[in-house]
């Protein structure tokens, strides 16, 4: 075989000639590409043929030629670049194969020699069977012990065993973590665990009893009892309560919404910012779900307010909010209806709910469309007076609206669609143009005097013998001689002594059906038939008739029936 390899080996001169030709071919190729830049144009089909198909075809042809020449023991020659490259590798292949075979043979001889030496060692080694068995059993026993037992550190806090960990470093890490968590949770930067209560003992323990650092940390935290891991409910970033059960708070909050959800609900949420955060909390906030439900369904310390508008009275505000007048006055000391002005802010409640539910419903209904009013001047009527000549007719519209309720009370109504079913019919009214006399009623009352309300309209305990338990007026107390004014313009129909009323003035507010009473006066400044304007000084406060002290008994009659004056006072 070596003779065949020598026969086909390429002489050094020929090999050098082949390399020279390759270098020259490479220079020629670079020059040619510089002279023919159009070769850079992309021609995929031509490029595939030139650089893939044709070279492969030439390669196959040259391989066949080489095989043929070798078969007939002819020395191959070619001027082709690919052929020359193949000749180079073909000529060196026998030499490379010979070297590779020599290396593999040497490696096999070395491996065989090492194997023979090991076998000879064990053949000359004489071990008694009992000794071999004993050694094997000892090794097995050690392996079993190492797999079942290990060194561990058992930790005890205040006499309570917390568990066993891998070593002192794990104990130190658990203690450091508990201290850090407790400081952050309780916002106490000086907190440390009392090391006198913490003891450790190192020894051989069962691997099954070894806990992780995290487990020891949890046991230590639970035993100390200052902080607990769980799920905390925050309302407007204020911690309310916590539970150790995942998902329990979410379910509780959904149950709270159920009471407000209806078949028309399109959106339901809490007005407040409600969050459930997982982590450590002060253990004082950990409680069962029943207590949490009780808390979020009650109130917390706080306040709600109401801004007074024009026409408001303390009595009307209290009624609107469903509280008694005495409760309203208790929360707002110093306020009286006679001293109430638009823009005043009243405290309506000193307790507010933890959570308020906003429920948005989609409602469909038919609504009246207000009719426009046209006016026709009438000199036979006073300015400010109107009379319907031709009544208007409201239109009809089919409304779709999103109605917002907060804890069941409507707070907003947004119309999202409206379809007119019937157009409204304009109303025609006569409008007075004759200047109104100064004494003529304005249609609104002013406070008849200043002072403190000592008795309201309605039922009361009898203060003195002979007084009625059904008080049909408003008592306003002040010092003797305090001025009394006409609540509105009108005509004096009574001025004089009237039994239990003492000195009394009655004013008929023309064309309104209203008559006002001013009783227990000390002095009267008007007579029957006088026409008085709104705010005119008509009397002085006193205590005549059945009276317990200086005050004005102010009554209002509507078509002969006494009504609550607070419904008419600003």
């Amino acid at each position: 075989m070596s003779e065949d390899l020598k026969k086909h080996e390429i002489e050094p001169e020929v090999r050098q000639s082949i390399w020279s030709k390759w270098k020259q071919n490479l220079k020629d190729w670079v020059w040619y590409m510089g002279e023919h830049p159009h070769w850079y144009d992309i021609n995929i089909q031509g490029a595939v043929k030139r650089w893939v198909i044709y070279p492969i075809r030439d390669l196959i042809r040259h391989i066949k030629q080489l095989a043929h020449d070798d078969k007939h023991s002819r020395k191959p020659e070619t001027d082709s670049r690919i052929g020359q490259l193949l000749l180079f590798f073909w000529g060196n292949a026998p030499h490379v194969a010979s070297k590779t075979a020599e290396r593999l043979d040497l490696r096999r001889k070395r491996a065989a020699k090492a194997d023979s030496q090991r076998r000879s060692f064990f053949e000359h080694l004489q071990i008694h069977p009992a000794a071999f068995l004993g050694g094997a059993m000892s090794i097995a026993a050690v392996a079993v012990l190492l797999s079942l037992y290990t060194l561990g550190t058992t930790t005890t806090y205040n006499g309570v065993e917390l568990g066993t960990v891998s070593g002192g470093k794990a104990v130190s890490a658990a203690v450091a973590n508990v201290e850090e968590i407790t400081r952050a949770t309780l916002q106490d930067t000086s907190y440390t665990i009392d090391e006198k209560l913490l003891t450790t003992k190192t020894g051989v323990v069962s691997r099954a009893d070894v806990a992780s650092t995290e487990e020891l940390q949890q046991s230590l935290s639970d035993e100390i009892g200052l902080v607990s891991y769980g799920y905390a409910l925050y309302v407007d970033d204020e911690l309310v309560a916590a539970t150790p059960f995942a998902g329990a708070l979410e379910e509780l909050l959904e149950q709270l919404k159920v009471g407000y959800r209806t078949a028309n609900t399109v959106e339901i949420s809490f007005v407040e910012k409600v969050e459930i955060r997982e982590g450590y909390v002060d253990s004082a906030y950990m409680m069962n779900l029943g207590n949490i439900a009780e808390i979020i369904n009650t109130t917390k310390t706080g306040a709600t307010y109401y801004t007074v508008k024009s026409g408001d009275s303390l009595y009307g505000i209290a009624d609107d909010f469903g509280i008694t007048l005495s409760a309203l006055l208790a929360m707002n000391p110093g306020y009286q209806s006679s001293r109430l002005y638009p823009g005043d802010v009243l405290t309506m409640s000193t307790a507010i709910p933890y959570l308020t539910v906003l429920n948005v419903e989609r409602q469909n209904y038919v609504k009246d469309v207000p009719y426009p009013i046209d006016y026709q001047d009438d000199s036979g009527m006073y300015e400010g007076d109107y009379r319907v000549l031709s009544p208007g007719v409201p239109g009809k519209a089919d409304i779709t609206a999103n109605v917002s309720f907060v804890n069941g009370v409507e707070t907003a109504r947004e119309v999202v669609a409206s379809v007119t079913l019937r157009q409204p019919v304009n109303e025609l009214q006569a409008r007075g143009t004759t200047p109104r006399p100064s004494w003529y009623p304005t249609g609104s009352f002013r406070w008849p005097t200043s002072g403190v309300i000592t008795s309201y309209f309605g039922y009361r305990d009898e203060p003195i013998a002979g007084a009625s338990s059904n008080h049909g007026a408003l008592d306003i107390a002040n010092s003797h001689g305090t001025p009394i004014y006409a609540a509105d313009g009108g005509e004096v129909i009574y001025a004089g002594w009237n039994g239990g009323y003492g000195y009394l003035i009655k004013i008929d507010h023309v064309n309104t059906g209203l008559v006002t009473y001013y009783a227990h006066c000390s002095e009267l400044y008007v007579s029957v038939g006088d026409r008085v304007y709104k705010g005119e000084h008509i009397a002085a406060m006193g205590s005549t008739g059945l009276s317990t002290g200086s005050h004005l008994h102010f009554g209002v009659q509507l078509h002969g029936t006494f009504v609550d004056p607070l419904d008419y006072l600003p």
Side-chain angles (χ1 to χ4, degrees):
M1 178 177 177
S2 58
E3 294 295 330
D4 293 337
L5 290 174
K6 289 181 180 179
K7 182 188 295 185
H8 293 85
E9 187 174 356
I10 302 175
E11 291 83 355
E13 295 81 4
V14 175
R15 186 180 293 112
Q16 183 66 34
S17 175
I18 293 174
W19 274 115
S20 299
K21 289 182 179 181
W22 266 92
K23 289 168 65 177
Q24 186 59 43
N25 288 338
L26 181 60
K27 292 180 181 180
D28 293 344
W29 180 79
V30 172
W31 173 83
Y32 188 82
M33 293 302 293
E35 294 294 322
H36 301 81
H38 62 276
W39 273 41
Y40 290 107
D41 296 340
I42 296 177
N43 183 352
I44 296 177
Q45 186 175 2
V48 170
K49 288 182 179 180
R50 179 182 296 273
W51 302 109
V52 179
I53 296 176
Y54 294 163
I56 291 175
R57 186 183 299 167
D58 292 343
L59 179 61
I60 294 172
R61 181 172 57 81
H62 284 299
I63 291 174
K64 290 180 177 179
Q65 183 64 40
L66 286 173
H68 181 268
D69 292 343
D70 183 61
K71 183 178 180 180
H72 295 83
S73 301
R74 291 189 303 179
K75 188 173 183 178
E77 294 182 0
T78 180
D79 292 330
S80 169
R81 291 189 294 269
I82 294 177
Q84 292 169 0
L85 182 61
L86 286 172
L87 286 174
F88 175 76
F89 285 112
W90 187 273
N92 283 278
H95 177 70
V96 172
S98 176
K99 290 292 184 180
T100 303
E102 289 177 6
R103 288 179 180 275
L104 291 175
D105 185 57
L106 180 60
R107 184 174 297 178
R108 282 195 299 270
K109 288 180 180 179
R110 289 175 179 174
K113 183 179 180 181
D115 185 58
S116 176
Q117 290 174 347
R118 284 193 297 271
R119 187 164 52 250
S120 176
F121 171 78
F122 284 108
E123 287 175 353
H124 290 85
L125 185 63
Q126 300 294 327
I127 301 177
H128 194 278
F132 176 79
L133 181 59
M137 291 180 65
S138 299
I139 294 173
V142 171
V144 170
L145 286 173
L146 291 177
S147 65
L148 295 178
Y149 296 93
T150 185
L151 286 177
T153 301
T154 302
T155 306
T156 302
Y157 179 81
N158 198 21
V160 178
E161 185 175 309
L162 303 177
T164 303
V165 290
S166 58
K169 289 185 178 179
V171 175
S172 300
V175 170
N177 288 341
V178 170
E179 288 180 337
E180 182 181 355
I181 290 170
T182 305
R183 291 181 193 127
T185 303
L186 302 182
Q187 297 183 347
D188 180 5
T189 57
S190 63
Y191 172 78
T192 57
I193 294 175
D194 189 352
E195 294 185 357
K196 296 179 181 178
L197 301 177
L198 193 68
T199 59
T200 59
K201 180 181 179 181
T202 302
V204 177
V205 296
S206 172
R207 286 185 180 273
D209 295 335
V210 177
S212 65
T213 303
E214 291 75 16
E215 290 173 326
L216 176 62
Q217 173 183 320
Q218 186 63 51
S219 298
L220 179 58
S221 178
D222 292 343
E223 186 61 32
I224 294 173
L226 292 178
V227 297
S228 301
Y229 191 87
Y231 303 85
L233 173 64
Y234 287 82
V235 177
D236 289 335
D237 293 322
E238 176 188 349
L239 176 59
V240 176
T243 176
F245 305 109
L249 291 175
E250 289 86 348
E251 183 176 350
L252 188 61
L253 293 174
E254 285 303 314
Q255 290 177 358
L256 183 61
K257 295 178 183 178
V258 167
Y260 297 98
R261 192 187 303 272
T262 69
N264 297 323
T265 296
V266 294
E267 179 186 349
I268 189 166
S269 61
F270 293 107
V271 175
E272 296 79 9
K273 176 186 175 184
V274 178
E275 293 179 287
I276 297 174
R277 304 176 189 172
E278 180 181 356
Y280 284 94
V281 296
D282 188 336
S283 295
Y285 287 93
M286 296 295 290
M287 58 188 71
N288 61 50
L289 292 177
N291 289 340
I292 297 176
E294 184 178 351
I295 288 175
I296 63 178
N297 280 288
T298 55
T299 57
K300 62 179 178 179
T301 302
T304 55
Y305 303 96
Y306 174 77
T307 302
V308 176
K309 301 188 294 293
S310 178
D312 280 342
S313 67
L314 289 176
Y315 183 84
I317 294 171
D319 186 60
D320 290 342
F321 279 83
I323 60 176
T324 64
L325 185 60
S326 59
L328 179 60
L329 290 173
M331 290 184 288
N332 299 273
Y335 275 99
Q336 293 291 337
S337 289
S338 59
R339 300 173 185 170
L340 203 60
Y341 303 99
D344 286 349
V345 178
L346 301 178
T347 300
M348 302 309 302
S349 174
T350 55
I352 57 177
Y354 267 103
L355 292 175
T356 47
V357 180
L358 171 63
N359 178 38
V360 180
E361 293 184 4
R362 177 66 56 85
Q363 294 186 359
N364 295 288
Y365 52 91
V366 175
K367 178 184 177 182
D368 286 342
V369 178
Y371 49 78
I373 300 176
D374 297 327
Y375 297 99
Q376 178 178 304
D377 291 341
D378 187 340
S379 60
M381 298 169 56
Y382 289 126
E383 291 177 348
D385 288 345
Y386 299 88
R387 185 176 74 256
V388 175
L389 301 177
S390 175
V393 180
K396 295 291 182 181
D398 189 354
I399 304 295
T400 299
N402 287 338
V403 185
S404 298
F405 297 88
V406 174
N407 281 2
V409 178
E410 181 178 334
T411 58
R413 184 175 292 262
E414 178 189 6
V415 176
V416 296
S418 177
V419 178
T420 301
L421 304 177
R422 186 182 68 198
Q423 293 292 343
V425 176
N426 291 17
E427 180 172 281
L428 179 62
Q429 292 185 7
R431 178 172 54 193
T433 58
T434 301
R436 179 181 295 275
S438 60
W439 60 269
Y440 207 79
T442 64
S444 63
F445 282 3
R446 58 154 287 168
W447 280 85
T449 190
S450 60
V452 177
I453 298 175
T454 57
S455 184
Y456 290 89
F457 181 87
Y459 177 83
R460 67 174 180 178
D461 295 331
E462 298 183 17
I464 57 175
S468 173
S469 60
N470 186 17
H471 193 225
L474 193 68
D475 287 349
I476 305 171
N478 210 329
S479 59
H480 184 87
T482 298
I484 297 173
Y485 306 98
D488 197 7
E491 183 176 347
V492 178
I493 59 175
Y494 187 92
W497 185 265
N498 192 306
Y501 282 129
Y503 285 110
L504 169 71
I505 293 175
K506 294 165 61 176
I507 299 176
D508 178 14
H509 303 285
V510 184
N511 294 329
T512 65
L514 294 171
V515 175
T516 49
Y517 283 59
Y518 309 81
H520 306 303
C521 301
S522 60
E523 295 182 62
L524 306 180
Y525 303 138
V526 294
S527 303
V528 174
D530 288 348
R531 292 175 173 176
V532 295
Y533 57 85
K534 180 178 181 178
E536 185 173 341
H537 189 187
I538 61 174
M541 188 179 295
S543 186
T544 57
L546 288 176
S547 172
T548 57
S550 178
H551 73 284
L552 167 64
H553 174 99
F554 178 64
V556 178
Q557 268 189 345
L558 176 62
H559 302 303
T561 302
F562 283 106
V563 293
D564 190 350
L566 287 176
D567 291 340
Y568 297 88
L569 291 172

